[in-house]
């Protein structure tokens, strides 16, 4: 994935989003001190902190945006940084908790534009915000179908309940320093509970977590499909059984010929 090119990979504190499936894992975010320490490691050209979390997007009509499958993700956005995976295709970068970026696909499907007023629910009460820009993710313009909302880093930390802490660090290597070499150096200075991954390892981990979340949703949908099929069969059975029962009652009410009563005499013309 070219969106991670030139990096030695992130140092994750938590997964890129918290799966709602039965195998979901949650880790505590890392403090700013970890970012400061990693930035001083030999071979690190630059390190930036990121936060991400599943959030609720409230549309202008007051209803929560919902869809089956991929989640709605809130992300931090580092405007102008070459390591940033989101690219603004319209509008400008957000500043403050009252401004956000929205992925262009969701904006198109929900008829949202730059200037639309929406709501966001993170780790607290609903926060009113204005869409100030539309973005795409990487060269494919997709993160497994997830809806993306992005905020400036301090606002994202505040909305997600992690002030002064980061879920993930993204590190760019100096020229000539391999991912594997830099990963080893970074791992040596990390506190217990954090791990360093190369770009390839991080991509594989994130894809696996998203697929795991989708499997959970697919299982739920299959259960509902089974219930729908059962209800459908029950309704069809009732639809056919009622006229049959009614016809049976009509047949039971037909007069039965009595043996002691002679048949009526035939008439000749």
């Amino acid at each position: 994935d070219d969106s991670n090119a030139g990096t030695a990979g992130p140092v994750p504190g938590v997964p890129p989003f918290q799966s709602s499936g039965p195998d979901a894992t949650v880790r505590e975010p890392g403090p700013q001190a970890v970012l400061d320490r990693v930035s001083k490691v030999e071979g690190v050209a630059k390190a930036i902190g990121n936060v991400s979390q599943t959030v609720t997007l409230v549309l202008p009509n007051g209803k929560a945006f919902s869809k089956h499958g991929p989640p709605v993700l809130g992300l931090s956005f580092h405007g102008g940084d070459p390591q940033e995976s989101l690219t603004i295709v319209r509008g400008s970068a957000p500043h403050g908790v009252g401004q956000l970026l929205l992925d262009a696909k969701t904006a198109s499907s929900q008829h949202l534009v730059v200037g639309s007023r929406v709501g966001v629910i993170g780790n607290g009460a609903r926060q009113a915000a204005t869409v100030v820009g539309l973005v795409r993710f990487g060269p494919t313009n997709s993160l497994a179908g997830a809806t993306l909302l992005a905020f400036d880093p301090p606002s994202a930390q505040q909305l997600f309940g992690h002030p002064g802490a980061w879920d993930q660090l993204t590190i760019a290597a100096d020229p000539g320093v391999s991912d594997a070499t830099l990963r080893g150096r970074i791992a040596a200075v990390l506190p217990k509970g954090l791990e360093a991954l190369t770009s390839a390892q991080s991509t594989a981990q994130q894809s696996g977590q998203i697929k795991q979340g989708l499997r959970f949703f697919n299982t739920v949908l299959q259960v509902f499909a089974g219930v729908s099929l059962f209800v459908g069969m029950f309704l069809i059975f009732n639809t056919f059984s009622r006229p049959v029962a009614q016809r049976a009652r009509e047949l039971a009410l037909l007069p039965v010929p009595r043996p002691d009563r002679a048949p009526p005499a035939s008439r000749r013309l």
Side-chain angles (χ1 to χ4, degrees):
D1 189 340
D2 293 339
S3 63
N4 284 328
T7 70
V11 179
V14 300
F17 74 93
Q18 295 178 7
S19 168
S20 56
D23 298 324
T25 58
V26 178
R27 305 189 198 104
E28 290 298 321
Q32 176 67 32
V34 175
L35 175 58
D36 296 337
R37 184 186 306 174
V38 169
S39 298
K40 298 176 182 177
V41 171
E42 180 184 359
V44 172
K46 187 176 182 180
I48 60 174
N50 296 290
V51 287
S52 61
Q53 179 180 300
T54 54
V55 298
T56 299
L57 170 64
V58 182
L59 300 174
N61 61 8
K63 295 183 179 180
F65 170 69
S66 63
K67 61 180 181 179
H68 297 297
V72 179
L73 293 179
L75 309 169
S76 55
F77 176 78
H78 296 268
D81 194 293
Q83 298 181 82
E84 176 58 59
S85 298
L86 297 178
T87 302
I88 298 178
V89 296
R90 188 173 302 169
S92 58
H95 298 283
V97 293
Q99 296 184 357
L100 62 81
L101 299 172
L102 179 64
D103 70 276
K105 286 186 176 181
T106 300
S108 177
S109 68
Q110 299 302 311
H111 309 290
L112 299 174
V113 297
V114 173
S116 293
R117 295 284 293 171
V118 297
V120 181
I121 302 175
N123 267 29
R126 171 178 168 178
Q127 172 69 50
T130 301
V131 178
V132 296
L134 306 181
V135 296
R136 63 177 176 82
F137 177 83
T140 61
N141 194 25
S142 176
L143 181 58
T147 292
L148 305 178
L149 282 66
F151 310 83
D152 67 76
S155 298
Q157 290 175 317
Q158 178 181 338
L159 286 169
F160 306 158
H162 301 313
W166 304 104
D167 294 342
Q168 188 180 76
L169 307 184
T170 303
I171 298 97
D174 283 329
V177 180
S178 69
D179 285 2
T181 298
L182 189 56
R183 176 191 178 279
R185 294 175 182 174
I186 293 173
V189 303
L190 292 179
K192 185 178 181 181
L194 300 182
E195 61 180 339
L197 303 175
T198 64
S199 178
Q201 291 172 331
S202 174
T203 299
Q205 184 186 78
Q206 292 178 18
S207 298
Q209 289 167 344
I210 291 176
K211 290 178 181 178
Q212 182 183 71
L214 292 179
R215 282 198 299 269
F216 173 74
F217 283 109
N218 287 338
T219 300
V220 173
L221 292 177
Q222 289 172 4
V223 171
F224 279 110
V227 173
S228 299
L229 177 62
F230 172 77
V231 173
M233 294 176 61
F234 181 75
L235 292 177
I236 292 173
F237 174 78
N238 279 349
T239 301
F240 284 99
S241 63
R242 287 181 180 177
V244 170
Q246 183 177 356
R247 184 59 179 167
R249 287 193 297 270
E250 293 174 353
L251 293 173
L253 295 177
L254 289 177
V256 179
R258 294 176 57 180
D260 58 342
R261 180 176 297 179
S266 59
R267 298 177 61 186
R268 293 183 180 178
L269 298 178

